[in-house]
Amino acid sequence: MTRLSAHLRVASAAGIAAVAALFGAAPAALAQPEPGVPAAGTVTPLVDCVQDAPLGAVTARSVVLGYRSTASAPVTLPAGGGENDLTSGAGDRGQPSTFLPGEHHGTALLTFDAQAEPALGWRVQGAVPAIDATAPACTDATVVTLNAPSSAEAGRSFVTTAAVSRLLMGAADGGSVGFSIDGEAETVVPVAGGSARAELTAPAAGSHTLVARYLPADGSGLKAATASTVLTTAVASGPLSVAANSVVAGSTSAVVVVTRATANGEATVDYTTADGTARAGADYTATSGTVVLADGVREAKVRIPLASRGAGSPSATFFVLLQRASTSVGSASATVLLPAVATPPAAAAAGPADPAAASLAIAGPGDSDGPASALPVADPTARAAGAAGQDLLLLIVGAILTVGGIAGVVSVIRGVTLSNANA
């Protein structure tokens, strides 16, 4: 290997690392498709820009490569294998070998001797873009990195952003980005800080192409650039709701059910617990996560672990809340009721410990049917056994004294004497 070749290889490796850092991702050649998944489609190689740098008697030419793939899945074309080659010299020089769906820029950087290979080209599936001075200069070329969801609900809005960079030169400022779906009218947004953000409405259910087109400001000297991605839309899944099943004594978990009105499309929603009168860590375990309802699925269950609560614990509640749903939400919270924990029978049989309360539970002598007496047993006013007959006699004596005078007294005395004799 000559010293020049070694320098060029080092420069190429450093350039690839710089491009990867610029776009915040590894080159697409590092991505791997799912094994055993065929992908039909056309891959078109792109020369994003070219930059020449004289190195003594040698002109080192750096080229930034991109591609466009119409396949619906990653396509693998081994470098140097016949369908992915450089047109002269070694066929494999680190160009991408795995091609993702859509349009991608800044995927690789190659450096070579422009004097030794003035007509070098990159051939992929028969297409050969020229790598020469007719390509845009890297000081003027731009690239758009599109960030958008891969799926959305038909008729609902979604947010997409586009970052605009000057290849090998950092972010581009000024100009605007036009966002469009399937070639319809563009939504044009100014570029600020190297990016643009738009809120679009998802079209009818199906597969669509989302395009972001950079429009440089007049007189800037920058070149236009585009990026695209596939957007899949599905019919509305219907509003989500959450409800809690009943919790019975002794349960180790509470079951919360997330449901939706229809099972169309996929829906996702985050959930989290929140304290009420029940406290996380003491009565239940704080829990959060994401529920995914796949197409055709209407409900999903979430289990919240419950703690062991002591005897005599009162009833308590906590809540499960829905957040950040991919569709509308009808009911965003559910209340989980933890039942009171009963006191063991042995403790209940011990009776109240309050002396005042204990005095209320003491029944008077001979009182088997009536309520307990609140008077102490030794109280002189408490009734004794057999006192009911004497109380009746005293009432009769009072009546006779009022009506019959002395004669009545004599009759009462005789009645008492006869009563004692009979006893």
Side-chain angles (χ1 to χ4, degrees), residues 107-123:
T107 58
L109 183 145
L110 306 181
T111 301
F112 59 95
D113 183 354
Q115 292 179 338
E117 297 179 285
L120 184 65
W122 181 29
R123 179 173 48 238

Side-chain angles (χ1 to χ4, degrees), residues 153-397:
E153 188 175 297
R156 290 179 62 86
S157 62
F158 67 95
V159 173
T160 179
T161 59
V164 183
S165 300
R166 299 170 62 187
L167 288 171
L168 306 182
M169 296 293 288
D173 209 356
S176 58
V177 173
F179 297 89
S180 64
I181 300 176
D182 296 337
E184 299 295 331
E186 286 184 328
T187 299
V188 180
V189 181
V191 174
S195 66
R197 178 183 182 276
E199 185 172 338
L200 308 177
T201 300
S207 181
H208 306 274
T209 301
L210 172 64
V211 176
R213 185 169 66 101
Y214 174 57
L215 308 170
D218 294 339
S220 69
L222 297 180
K223 304 297 184 182
T226 62
S228 64
T229 188
V230 175
L231 174 69
T232 302
T233 59
V235 295
S237 69
L240 298 173
S241 61
V242 59
N245 290 346
S246 298
V247 177
V248 299
S251 295
T252 58
S253 63
V255 177
V256 176
V257 184
V258 178
T259 60
R260 56 178 172 166
T262 65
N264 297 324
E266 180 182 277
T268 62
V269 64
D270 294 345
Y271 66 89
T272 187
T273 54
D275 284 354
T277 53
R279 296 290 183 262
D283 301 302
Y284 71 98
T285 300
T287 308
S288 61
T290 300
V291 170
V292 178
L293 297 172
D295 184 28
V297 177
R298 288 192 58 185
E299 69 174 35
K301 294 181 179 179
V302 175
R303 290 189 176 273
I304 312 296
L306 301 179
S308 178
R309 305 171 70 226
S313 298
S315 60
T317 59
F318 67 92
F319 308 98
V320 178
L321 310 177
L322 299 185
Q323 302 172 330
R324 295 178 290 277
S326 64
T327 184
S328 59
V329 176
S331 173
S333 66
T335 302
V336 179
L337 173 62
L338 304 179
V341 181
T343 302
D354 186 357
S359 67
L360 296 177
I362 299 175
D367 190 0
S368 58
D369 298 325
S373 171
L375 299 176
V377 176
D379 193 302
T381 63
R383 292 179 294 169
Q390 295 181 10
D391 290 344
L392 178 60
L393 288 175
L394 291 174
L395 290 175
I396 295 174
V397 168

